[in-house]
Amino acid sequence: MSRQGELFPAAAVAGAPLPASLPLWQEQLLAWQARLADHQAPLFAATGAAVPLQQGQLFPIPADPGDPLELARRLDPLSLSPQSLSFWRWPRLPQQGAALYLVMDRPPQLPLPLLLYVGETGRADQRWKGDHDCKDYLAAYGEALARAGLEARPSIRFWSDVPAAVGPRRALEQALIRRWLPPFNKETRDRWATPFTADPA
């Protein structure tokens, strides 16, 4: 049974159709996307901007280029090449080794994309194969949009210039999640009312 206020019912994740008696209205989905865009659009504009001076500072203190927060602040997701979510079926994969990956949608009514998920992997050529929570969320999201007469334009982007060691790479992933608040990451689902999960109810 779907909980009151669910944007994407859990039934969609399991592959079951959305209940005909509880359709998601187009206005609900557009409003949800707009709330996310209100948070993320300024971040696209601020990417890589100079560190502002604080009161009493004559000269800015240079940021540590290896600091995860600084790296997350400087990353421009739009500088990464978008790929189809079916990239892993290609005979030769362009990405190998350690990477962070960003799953995005490009709603036609918005001027900028939406960053939906941030993940990390030690093997970029293998990470998207098989079962993956984010794939389930994307399936439910895409189905909800289609039933409301809206279009999903998902893509995935890989950032390979990341630490090979797991600890620093995960720290960078968490810094990006805290900055962008992507709604399909478990840390931020409650904030955006993204209640569908692959976990049993």
Side-chain angles (χ1 to χ4, degrees), residues 10-181:
V13 177
L18 294 174
S21 59
L22 296 173
L24 290 169
W25 294 344
Q26 188 178 97
E27 305 87 68
Q28 291 174 300
L29 291 162
L30 292 174
W32 183 85
Q33 289 178 331
R35 286 195 306 274
L36 181 58
D38 284 346
H39 170 72
Q40 292 185 349
L43 299 179
F44 282 109
T47 301
V51 178
L53 288 173
Q54 296 177 1
Q55 185 175 359
Q57 262 188 310
L58 183 57
F59 301 103
I61 300 171
D64 176 1
D67 175 29
L69 295 175
E70 177 63 16
L71 288 171
R73 191 184 66 78
R74 291 190 175 275
L75 173 65
D76 177 7
L78 299 180
S79 70
L80 305 173
S81 299
Q83 298 177 33
S84 163
L85 295 181
S86 300
F87 75 93
W88 54 274
R89 294 187 172 126
W90 299 348
R92 285 192 175 177
L93 298 178
Q95 61 281 328
Q96 302 285 330
L100 265 68
Y101 55 95
L102 291 73
V103 179
M104 303 176 77
D105 185 25
R106 184 64 176 85
Q109 81 279 5
L110 295 175
L112 290 166
L114 299 175
L115 178 54
L116 300 176
Y117 185 84
V118 173
E120 65 83 21
T121 180
R123 295 196 59 188
D125 58 330
Q126 297 288 324
R127 184 62 184 103
W128 206 246
K129 294 182 179 180
D131 294 332
H132 194 294
D133 284 351
C134 185
K135 289 165 89 171
D136 292 334
Y137 310 147
L138 284 167
Y141 173 72
E143 184 176 344
L145 290 177
R147 285 179 176 270
L150 299 172
E151 182 183 2
R153 300 175 178 176
S155 65
I156 190 167
R157 300 167 190 243
F158 285 87
W159 183 22
S160 298
D161 190 17
V162 299
V166 174
R169 191 171 67 245
R170 287 190 177 156
L172 181 53
E173 174 198 34
Q174 289 301 308
L176 282 169
I177 291 170
R178 286 192 299 274
R179 178 173 174 77
W180 290 89
L181 302 178

